Amino acid sequence: MSLMSALTLLAASFITIPSYNGVIHIGDSIVFISVVVLGRKKGAISSALGMFLFDILHGYTYWAPFTLIIKGIMALIAGYLWEKGESKSIIQGGVAFSMSGLFMILAYFLSGALIKLLFSGKAITFTQALIVSSYDIFGNVLQVVVGIIIAMPIIKGIEAYRKS
């Protein structure tokens, strides 16, 4: 679990592209790999801790508590859907990881609005906070899609190794 937390932190730190409220990174690929390698519970804990540490170490401290919860639940969803699928195919993995990614996108959208509302230092309405938070939706979609594209061949390799 510690190794997967460290890999999550490293992957998120490796390539970061600034977005409006945060960054886009490839750490989600390790979130998906973690739940396949460790199972949903241990994968969720390691993913949440790795991403939490990323936020703390890279100056996104406002986001850290949200990330801890969001990435943990994201991994639980991904792991649950992966474990319940029978085929373990690329399509089944893509669906499982996409569903967890949709949760992440919505959760970060709402969390971003809450952070803007509470910590912007300006008098803004919740609607205005939602509008500002919506600027990161495309980046979060891109992050999930790239995470799936990176994770699936690695997961298929792990699955093939386990069968041999």
Side-chain angles (χ1 to χ4, degrees):
M1 285 175 58
S2 298
L3 178 61
M4 292 309 286
S5 289
L7 287 174
T8 303
L9 170 61
L10 287 173
S13 300
F14 181 64
I15 298 173
T16 58
I17 301 166
S19 64
Y20 190 78
N21 291 312
V23 295
I24 302 167
H25 55 72
I26 60 170
D28 286 353
S29 61
I30 307 301
V31 171
F32 302 137
I33 294 167
S34 291
V35 299
V36 172
V37 172
L38 300 174
R40 70 176 176 246
K41 292 177 185 175
K42 290 179 181 177
I45 292 167
S46 67
S47 297
L49 289 174
M51 292 295 197
F52 175 82
L53 288 171
F54 171 82
D55 281 352
I56 295 293
L57 295 172
H58 290 85
Y60 299 102
T61 52
Y62 285 135
W63 288 98
F66 295 98
T67 293
L68 185 68
I69 294 165
I70 292 168
K71 291 298 182 173
I73 294 172
M74 175 188 180
L76 282 172
I77 293 168
Y80 175 80
L81 294 174
W82 176 262
E83 290 170 2
K84 294 302 174 198
E86 296 190 20
S87 67
K88 305 293 191 261
S89 68
I90 289 175
I91 293 172
Q92 186 258 322
V95 169
F97 302 150
S98 294
M99 293 294 105
S100 70
L102 285 174
F103 164 78
M104 183 206 80
I105 293 161
L106 178 62
Y108 272 122
F109 169 64
L110 295 173
S111 298
L114 185 61
I115 287 170
K116 285 292 177 201
L117 192 63
L118 297 175
F119 302 113
S120 71
K122 301 175 184 173
I124 62 171
T125 67
F126 188 64
T127 302
Q128 290 169 323
L130 286 172
I131 291 167
V132 171
S133 185
S134 72
Y135 299 163
D136 279 330
I137 291 174
F138 176 75
N140 284 330
V141 169
L142 181 65
Q143 182 172 299
V144 169
V145 169
V146 170
I148 293 169
I149 290 169
I150 293 170
M152 285 311 297
I154 296 169
I155 289 167
K156 288 286 125 196
I158 291 168
E159 294 284 305
Y161 177 77
R162 284 180 174 170
K163 289 178 183 176
S164 64

Coordinates of all heavy atoms in Angstrom, one line a residue, residues 70-147:
I70 N -12.4 12.5 -2.0 CA -12.8 12.3 -3.4 C -12.0 11.1 -4.1 O -12.6 10.2 -4.7 CB -12.6 13.6 -4.3 CG1 -13.7 14.6 -3.8 CG2 -12.8 13.3 -5.8 CD1 -13.4 16.0 -4.3
K71 N -10.7 11.1 -3.9 CA -9.9 10.1 -4.5 C -10.2 8.7 -3.9 O -10.1 7.7 -4.5 CB -8.4 10.4 -4.5 CG -8.1 11.6 -5.4 CD -8.4 11.3 -6.9 CE -8.0 12.4 -7.8 NZ -8.1 12.2 -9.2
G72 N -10.4 8.7 -2.6 CA -10.8 7.5 -1.9 C -12.0 6.9 -2.4 O -12.1 5.7 -2.7
I73 N -13.1 7.7 -2.5 CA -14.4 7.2 -3.1 C -14.2 6.9 -4.5 O -14.8 5.8 -5.0 CB -15.5 8.3 -2.8 CG1 -15.7 8.4 -1.3 CG2 -16.8 7.9 -3.6 CD1 -16.7 9.6 -1.0
M74 N -13.5 7.7 -5.3 CA -13.3 7.4 -6.7 C -12.7 6.0 -6.8 O -13.1 5.1 -7.7 CB -12.3 8.4 -7.3 CG -11.9 8.1 -8.7 SD -10.7 9.3 -9.2 CE -10.3 8.8 -10.9
A75 N -11.7 5.7 -6.0 CA -11.0 4.3 -6.1 C -12.0 3.2 -5.6 O -12.0 2.2 -6.2 CB -9.7 4.4 -5.3
L76 N -12.8 3.5 -4.6 CA -13.7 2.5 -4.2 C -14.7 2.2 -5.3 O -15.1 1.0 -5.5 CB -14.5 3.0 -2.9 CG -13.8 2.9 -1.6 CD1 -14.6 3.6 -0.5 CD2 -13.5 1.5 -1.2
I77 N -15.2 3.2 -6.0 CA -16.1 3.0 -7.1 C -15.5 2.2 -8.2 O -16.0 1.2 -8.7 CB -16.7 4.3 -7.6 CG1 -17.6 5.0 -6.6 CG2 -17.4 4.1 -9.0 CD1 -17.9 6.5 -6.9
A78 N -14.3 2.6 -8.6 CA -13.5 1.9 -9.6 C -13.3 0.4 -9.2 O -13.5 -0.5 -10.0 CB -12.2 2.6 -9.9
G79 N -12.8 0.2 -8.0 CA -12.5 -1.1 -7.5 C -13.8 -2.0 -7.4 O -13.8 -3.2 -7.8
Y80 N -14.9 -1.4 -7.0 CA -16.1 -2.2 -6.9 C -16.6 -2.6 -8.2 O -16.9 -3.8 -8.4 CB -17.2 -1.3 -6.2 CG -18.5 -2.0 -6.1 CD1 -18.8 -3.0 -5.2 CD2 -19.5 -1.7 -7.1 CE1 -20.0 -3.6 -5.2 CE2 -20.7 -2.3 -7.1 CZ -21.0 -3.3 -6.1 OH -22.2 -3.9 -6.1
L81 N -16.6 -1.7 -9.2 CA -17.1 -2.0 -10.5 C -16.1 -3.0 -11.2 O -16.6 -3.8 -12.0 CB -17.3 -0.7 -11.3 CG -18.4 0.2 -10.8 CD1 -18.4 1.5 -11.6 CD2 -19.8 -0.5 -10.9
W82 N -14.8 -2.8 -11.0 CA -13.9 -3.8 -11.6 C -14.1 -5.2 -11.0 O -14.1 -6.1 -11.8 CB -12.4 -3.3 -11.3 CG -11.4 -4.2 -11.8 CD1 -10.7 -5.2 -11.1 CD2 -10.9 -4.4 -13.1 NE1 -9.8 -5.9 -11.9 CE2 -10.0 -5.4 -13.2 CE3 -11.2 -3.7 -14.3 CZ2 -9.3 -5.8 -14.3 CZ3 -10.6 -4.1 -15.5 CH2 -9.6 -5.1 -15.5
E83 N -14.2 -5.3 -9.7 CA -14.4 -6.6 -9.1 C -15.7 -7.3 -9.5 O -15.7 -8.5 -9.5 CB -14.3 -6.4 -7.5 CG -12.9 -6.1 -7.1 CD -12.8 -5.7 -5.6 OE1 -13.8 -5.7 -4.9 OE2 -11.7 -5.4 -5.1
K84 N -16.7 -6.5 -9.7 CA -18.0 -7.0 -10.0 C -18.1 -7.5 -11.5 O -18.9 -8.3 -11.8 CB -19.2 -6.0 -9.7 CG -19.3 -5.8 -8.2 CD -19.6 -7.1 -7.5 CE -19.6 -6.8 -6.0 NZ -19.5 -8.0 -5.2
G85 N -17.2 -6.9 -12.3 CA -17.2 -7.3 -13.7 C -16.7 -8.7 -13.9 O -15.7 -9.1 -13.2
E86 N -17.2 -9.4 -14.8 CA -16.8 -10.8 -15.0 C -15.7 -10.9 -16.1 O -14.8 -11.8 -16.0 CB -18.0 -11.7 -15.4 CG -19.0 -11.7 -14.2 CD -20.0 -12.8 -14.4 OE1 -19.8 -13.7 -15.3 OE2 -21.0 -12.7 -13.8
S87 N -15.7 -10.1 -17.1 CA -14.8 -10.2 -18.2 C -13.4 -9.6 -18.0 O -12.5 -10.1 -18.5 CB -15.4 -9.6 -19.4 OG -15.5 -8.2 -19.3
K88 N -13.4 -8.6 -17.1 CA -12.1 -7.9 -16.9 C -11.5 -7.4 -18.3 O -10.3 -7.4 -18.5 CB -11.1 -8.7 -16.2 CG -11.5 -9.3 -14.8 CD -11.8 -8.2 -13.8 CE -12.0 -8.7 -12.4 NZ -13.4 -8.9 -12.0
S89 N -12.4 -7.1 -19.2 CA -12.0 -6.6 -20.5 C -11.6 -5.2 -20.5 O -11.9 -4.5 -19.5 CB -13.1 -6.9 -21.5 OG -14.2 -6.0 -21.3
I90 N -11.1 -4.7 -21.6 CA -10.8 -3.3 -21.7 C -12.0 -2.5 -21.6 O -12.1 -1.4 -21.0 CB -10.0 -3.0 -23.0 CG1 -8.5 -3.6 -22.9 CG2 -9.9 -1.5 -23.3 CD1 -7.7 -3.5 -24.1
I91 N -13.1 -3.0 -22.3 CA -14.4 -2.2 -22.2 C -14.9 -2.2 -20.8 O -15.3 -1.1 -20.3 CB -15.4 -2.9 -23.2 CG1 -14.9 -2.7 -24.6 CG2 -16.8 -2.3 -23.0 CD1 -15.7 -3.4 -25.7
Q92 N -14.9 -3.3 -20.1 CA -15.4 -3.3 -18.7 C -14.6 -2.4 -17.8 O -15.1 -1.7 -17.0 CB -15.4 -4.8 -18.2 CG -16.1 -5.0 -16.9 CD -15.1 -5.1 -15.7 OE1 -14.0 -5.7 -15.9 NE2 -15.4 -4.5 -14.6
G93 N -13.3 -2.5 -18.0 CA -12.4 -1.6 -17.2 C -12.6 -0.1 -17.6 O -12.7 0.7 -16.7
G94 N -12.8 0.2 -18.9 CA -13.1 1.5 -19.3 C -14.4 2.0 -18.7 O -14.5 3.2 -18.2
V95 N -15.4 1.2 -18.6 CA -16.7 1.6 -18.0 C -16.5 1.8 -16.5 O -17.0 2.8 -16.0 CB -17.8 0.6 -18.3 CG1 -19.0 0.8 -17.5 CG2 -18.1 0.5 -19.8
A96 N -15.9 0.9 -15.8 CA -15.7 1.0 -14.4 C -14.9 2.3 -14.1 O -15.3 3.0 -13.2 CB -14.9 -0.2 -13.9
F97 N -13.8 2.5 -14.8 CA -13.0 3.7 -14.5 C -13.6 5.0 -14.9 O -13.5 6.0 -14.3 CB -11.6 3.5 -15.1 CG -10.9 2.2 -14.6 CD1 -10.0 1.6 -15.5 CD2 -11.1 1.7 -13.4 CE1 -9.3 0.4 -15.0 CE2 -10.5 0.5 -13.0 CZ -9.6 -0.1 -13.8
S98 N -14.4 4.9 -16.0 CA -15.2 6.1 -16.4 C -16.2 6.5 -15.4 O -16.4 7.7 -15.1 CB -15.8 5.9 -17.8 OG -14.9 5.7 -18.8
M99 N -16.9 5.5 -14.8 CA -17.9 5.8 -13.8 C -17.3 6.5 -12.6 O -17.8 7.4 -12.0 CB -18.7 4.5 -13.4 CG -19.6 3.9 -14.5 SD -20.9 5.0 -14.9 CE -20.4 5.7 -16.5
S100 N -16.2 5.9 -12.2 CA -15.5 6.5 -11.0 C -15.0 7.9 -11.4 O -15.0 8.8 -10.6 CB -14.3 5.6 -10.5 OG -13.3 5.6 -11.5
G101 N -14.5 8.1 -12.6 CA -14.1 9.4 -13.1 C -15.2 10.4 -13.1 O -15.0 11.6 -12.8
L102 N -16.4 10.0 -13.5 CA -17.6 10.9 -13.5 C -17.8 11.4 -12.1 O -18.1 12.6 -11.9 CB -18.8 10.2 -14.1 CG -18.8 10.0 -15.6 CD1 -20.0 9.2 -16.0 CD2 -18.9 11.4 -16.3
F103 N -17.7 10.5 -11.1 CA -17.9 10.9 -9.7 C -16.8 11.9 -9.4 O -17.1 13.0 -8.8 CB -17.7 9.7 -8.8 CG -17.5 10.1 -7.3 CD1 -18.6 10.6 -6.6 CD2 -16.2 10.2 -6.8 CE1 -18.3 11.1 -5.3 CE2 -16.0 10.6 -5.5 CZ -17.0 11.1 -4.8
M104 N -15.6 11.7 -9.8 CA -14.5 12.6 -9.4 C -14.8 14.0 -10.0 O -14.6 15.0 -9.4 CB -13.1 12.1 -9.9 CG -12.0 13.0 -9.6 SD -10.6 12.8 -10.7 CE -11.1 13.8 -12.1
I105 N -15.2 14.0 -11.3 CA -15.4 15.3 -12.0 C -16.5 16.1 -11.3 O -16.4 17.3 -11.0 CB -15.8 15.0 -13.5 CG1 -14.6 14.4 -14.2 CG2 -16.3 16.3 -14.1 CD1 -14.9 13.7 -15.5
L106 N -17.6 15.4 -10.9 CA -18.7 16.1 -10.2 C -18.3 16.5 -8.8 O -18.5 17.6 -8.4 CB -19.9 15.1 -10.1 CG -21.1 15.7 -9.3 CD1 -21.7 17.0 -10.0 CD2 -22.2 14.7 -9.2
A107 N -17.5 15.7 -8.1 CA -17.1 16.0 -6.8 C -16.1 17.2 -6.8 O -16.2 18.1 -5.9 CB -16.5 14.8 -6.1
Y108 N -15.2 17.2 -7.7 CA -14.3 18.3 -7.8 C -15.0 19.6 -8.2 O -14.6 20.7 -7.8 CB -13.1 18.0 -8.6 CG -11.9 17.4 -7.9 CD1 -11.5 16.1 -8.3 CD2 -11.3 18.0 -6.8 CE1 -10.4 15.5 -7.6 CE2 -10.3 17.4 -6.1 CZ -9.9 16.1 -6.5 OH -8.9 15.5 -5.8
F109 N -16.0 19.5 -9.1 CA -16.7 20.6 -9.5 C -17.4 21.3 -8.3 O -17.3 22.5 -8.1 CB -17.8 20.2 -10.5 CG -18.8 21.2 -10.9 CD1 -18.5 22.4 -11.5 CD2 -20.1 21.0 -10.6 CE1 -19.4 23.4 -11.8 CE2 -21.1 21.9 -10.9 CZ -20.8 23.1 -11.5
L110 N -18.1 20.5 -7.5 CA -18.8 21.0 -6.3 C -17.8 21.5 -5.2 O -18.0 22.5 -4.6 CB -19.8 19.9 -5.7 CG -20.9 19.5 -6.7 CD1 -21.7 18.4 -6.1 CD2 -21.8 20.7 -6.9
S111 N -16.7 20.7 -5.1 CA -15.7 21.1 -4.1 C -15.0 22.4 -4.5 O -14.8 23.3 -3.6 CB -14.6 20.0 -3.9 OG -15.2 18.8 -3.5
G112 N -14.8 22.6 -5.8 CA -14.2 23.8 -6.3 C -15.1 25.0 -6.0 O -14.6 26.1 -5.6
A113 N -16.4 24.8 -6.2 CA -17.3 25.9 -5.9 C -17.3 26.2 -4.4 O -17.3 27.4 -4.1 CB -18.7 25.5 -6.4
L114 N -17.3 25.2 -3.6 CA -17.3 25.5 -2.2 C -16.0 26.2 -1.7 O -16.1 27.1 -0.9 CB -17.4 24.1 -1.4 CG -17.6 24.2 0.1 CD1 -18.8 25.0 0.5 CD2 -17.6 22.8 0.7
I115 N -14.9 25.8 -2.3 CA -13.6 26.4 -1.9 C -13.7 27.9 -2.4 O -13.3 28.8 -1.7 CB -12.4 25.7 -2.6 CG1 -12.2 24.4 -1.8 CG2 -11.2 26.5 -2.6 CD1 -11.2 23.4 -2.5
K116 N -14.1 28.1 -3.6 CA -14.3 29.5 -4.1 C -15.2 30.3 -3.2 O -14.9 31.5 -2.9 CB -14.7 29.6 -5.5 CG -13.7 29.2 -6.5 CD -12.6 30.2 -6.6 CE -11.5 29.8 -7.5 NZ -10.3 30.4 -7.3
L117 N -16.3 29.8 -2.8 CA -17.3 30.5 -2.0 C -16.7 30.8 -0.6 O -16.9 31.9 -0.1 CB -18.5 29.6 -1.9 CG -19.8 30.2 -1.3 CD1 -20.3 31.3 -2.2 CD2 -20.8 29.2 -1.1
L118 N -16.0 29.9 0.0 CA -15.5 30.1 1.3 C -14.1 30.8 1.4 O -13.9 31.5 2.4 CB -15.4 28.7 2.0 CG -16.7 28.0 2.2 CD1 -16.4 26.6 2.8 CD2 -17.6 28.7 3.1
F119 N -13.3 30.6 0.4 CA -11.9 31.1 0.6 C -11.4 32.1 -0.5 O -10.2 32.5 -0.5 CB -10.9 29.9 0.6 CG -11.2 28.9 1.6 CD1 -11.6 27.6 1.3 CD2 -11.0 29.2 3.0 CE1 -11.9 26.7 2.3 CE2 -11.3 28.3 4.0 CZ -11.7 27.0 3.6
S120 N -12.3 32.6 -1.3 CA -11.9 33.5 -2.4 C -11.6 34.9 -1.8 O -10.9 35.7 -2.5 CB -12.9 33.6 -3.5 OG -14.1 34.3 -3.0
G121 N -12.1 35.2 -0.7 CA -11.9 36.6 -0.1 C -12.8 37.6 -0.8 O -12.7 38.8 -0.5
K122 N -13.7 37.2 -1.6 CA -14.6 38.1 -2.3 C -16.0 37.6 -2.0 O -16.3 36.5 -1.8 CB -14.4 38.1 -3.8 CG -13.0 38.4 -4.3 CD -12.8 38.3 -5.8 CE -11.3 38.6 -6.1 NZ -11.1 38.3 -7.5
A123 N -16.9 38.6 -2.1 CA -18.3 38.3 -1.9 C -18.9 37.8 -3.2 O -19.1 38.5 -4.2 CB -19.1 39.5 -1.4
I124 N -19.0 36.5 -3.3 CA -19.6 35.9 -4.6 C -20.8 35.0 -4.2 O -20.8 34.5 -3.1 CB -18.5 35.1 -5.4 CG1 -18.0 33.9 -4.6 CG2 -17.4 36.0 -5.8 CD1 -17.1 32.9 -5.4
T125 N -21.6 34.8 -5.1 CA -22.8 33.9 -4.9 C -22.3 32.4 -5.2 O -21.3 32.2 -5.9 CB -23.9 34.3 -5.8 OG1 -23.6 34.0 -7.2 CG2 -24.3 35.7 -5.6
F126 N -23.2 31.5 -4.8 CA -22.9 30.1 -5.1 C -22.9 29.9 -6.6 O -22.1 29.1 -7.1 CB -23.9 29.2 -4.3 CG -23.5 27.7 -4.4 CD1 -22.4 27.2 -3.9 CD2 -24.4 26.9 -5.1 CE1 -22.0 25.9 -4.0 CE2 -24.0 25.5 -5.2 CZ -22.9 25.0 -4.7
T127 N -23.8 30.5 -7.3 CA -23.9 30.4 -8.7 C -22.6 30.9 -9.4 O -22.1 30.2 -10.3 CB -25.1 31.2 -9.3 OG1 -26.3 30.7 -8.7 CG2 -25.2 31.0 -10.8
Q128 N -22.1 32.0 -8.9 CA -20.8 32.5 -9.5 C -19.7 31.5 -9.2 O -18.8 31.2 -10.0 CB -20.5 33.8 -8.9 CG -21.4 34.9 -9.4 CD -21.2 36.2 -8.6 OE1 -21.0 36.2 -7.4 NE2 -21.3 37.4 -9.3
A129 N -19.7 30.9 -8.0 CA -18.7 29.9 -7.6 C -18.8 28.7 -8.5 O -17.8 28.1 -8.9 CB -18.8 29.6 -6.1
L130 N -20.0 28.3 -8.8 CA -20.2 27.1 -9.7 C -19.6 27.4 -11.1 O -19.0 26.6 -11.7 CB -21.7 26.7 -9.8 CG -22.2 26.0 -8.6 CD1 -23.8 25.9 -8.7 CD2 -21.6 24.7 -8.3
I131 N -19.9 28.6 -11.5 CA -19.4 29.0 -12.9 C -17.9 29.0 -12.9 O -17.3 28.4 -13.8 CB -19.9 30.4 -13.3 CG1 -21.4 30.3 -13.5 CG2 -19.2 31.0 -14.5 CD1 -22.1 31.7 -13.6
V132 N -17.2 29.5 -11.9 CA -15.8 29.5 -11.9 C -15.2 28.1 -11.7 O -14.3 27.7 -12.4 CB -15.2 30.4 -10.7 CG1 -13.7 30.2 -10.5 CG2 -15.6 31.9 -10.9
S133 N -15.9 27.3 -10.9 CA -15.5 25.9 -10.8 C -15.7 25.1 -12.1 O -14.9 24.2 -12.3 CB -16.3 25.2 -9.7 OG -15.8 23.9 -9.4
S134 N -16.6 25.5 -12.9 CA -16.8 24.8 -14.2 C -15.7 24.9 -15.1 O -15.5 24.1 -16.0 CB -18.1 25.2 -14.8 OG -18.0 26.5 -15.4
Y135 N -14.8 25.9 -14.9 CA -13.7 26.0 -15.8 C -12.7 24.8 -15.8 O -12.0 24.6 -16.7 CB -12.8 27.3 -15.4 CG -13.6 28.6 -15.5 CD1 -13.1 29.7 -14.9 CD2 -14.8 28.7 -16.2 CE1 -13.8 30.9 -15.0 CE2 -15.5 29.9 -16.3 CZ -14.9 31.0 -15.7 OH -15.6 32.2 -15.7
D136 N -12.8 24.0 -14.7 CA -11.9 22.9 -14.6 C -12.5 21.6 -15.1 O -11.8 20.5 -15.0 CB -11.4 22.7 -13.2 CG -10.2 23.6 -12.9 OD1 -9.4 24.0 -13.8 OD2 -10.1 24.0 -11.7
I137 N -13.7 21.6 -15.5 CA -14.4 20.3 -15.9 C -13.6 19.7 -17.1 O -13.3 18.5 -17.0 CB -15.9 20.5 -16.2 CG1 -16.6 20.9 -15.0 CG2 -16.5 19.3 -16.9 CD1 -18.1 21.3 -15.2
F138 N -13.3 20.4 -18.1 CA -12.6 19.8 -19.2 C -11.3 19.2 -18.8 O -11.0 18.1 -19.3 CB -12.4 20.9 -20.3 CG -11.6 20.3 -21.5 CD1 -12.2 19.5 -22.4 CD2 -10.2 20.6 -21.6 CE1 -11.4 18.9 -23.4 CE2 -9.5 20.1 -22.7 CZ -10.1 19.2 -23.6
G139 N -10.5 19.9 -18.0 CA -9.3 19.4 -17.5 C -9.4 18.1 -16.8 O -8.6 17.1 -16.9
N140 N -10.5 18.0 -15.9 CA -10.7 16.8 -15.2 C -11.2 15.6 -16.1 O -10.8 14.5 -15.8 CB -11.7 17.0 -14.1 CG -11.1 17.8 -12.9 OD1 -10.0 17.6 -12.6 ND2 -11.9 18.6 -12.2
V141 N -11.9 15.9 -17.1 CA -12.3 14.9 -18.1 C -11.1 14.4 -18.8 O -10.9 13.2 -18.9 CB -13.3 15.5 -19.1 CG1 -13.5 14.5 -20.3 CG2 -14.7 15.8 -18.4
L142 N -10.2 15.3 -19.2 CA -9.0 14.9 -19.9 C -8.1 14.0 -18.9 O -7.5 13.0 -19.4 CB -8.2 16.2 -20.3 CG -6.9 16.0 -21.0 CD1 -7.1 15.3 -22.4 CD2 -6.2 17.3 -21.2
Q143 N -8.0 14.4 -17.7 CA -7.2 13.7 -16.7 C -7.7 12.2 -16.6 O -6.9 11.3 -16.5 CB -7.3 14.4 -15.4 CG -6.5 13.7 -14.3 CD -6.4 14.6 -13.0 OE1 -5.9 15.7 -13.1 NE2 -6.9 14.1 -11.9
V144 N -9.0 12.1 -16.5 CA -9.6 10.7 -16.4 C -9.4 9.9 -17.6 O -8.9 8.7 -17.6 CB -11.1 10.8 -16.0 CG1 -11.8 9.4 -16.2 CG2 -11.4 11.4 -14.7
V145 N -9.6 10.5 -18.8 CA -9.4 9.8 -20.0 C -7.9 9.3 -20.2 O -7.7 8.2 -20.5 CB -9.9 10.6 -21.2 CG1 -9.4 10.0 -22.6 CG2 -11.4 10.8 -21.2
V146 N -7.0 10.2 -20.0 CA -5.6 9.9 -20.1 C -5.2 8.8 -19.0 O -4.5 7.9 -19.3 CB -4.7 11.2 -19.9 CG1 -3.2 10.8 -19.8 CG2 -4.9 12.1 -21.1
G147 N -5.8 9.0 -17.8 CA -5.5 8.0 -16.8 C -6.0 6.6 -17.2 O -5.3 5.6 -17.0

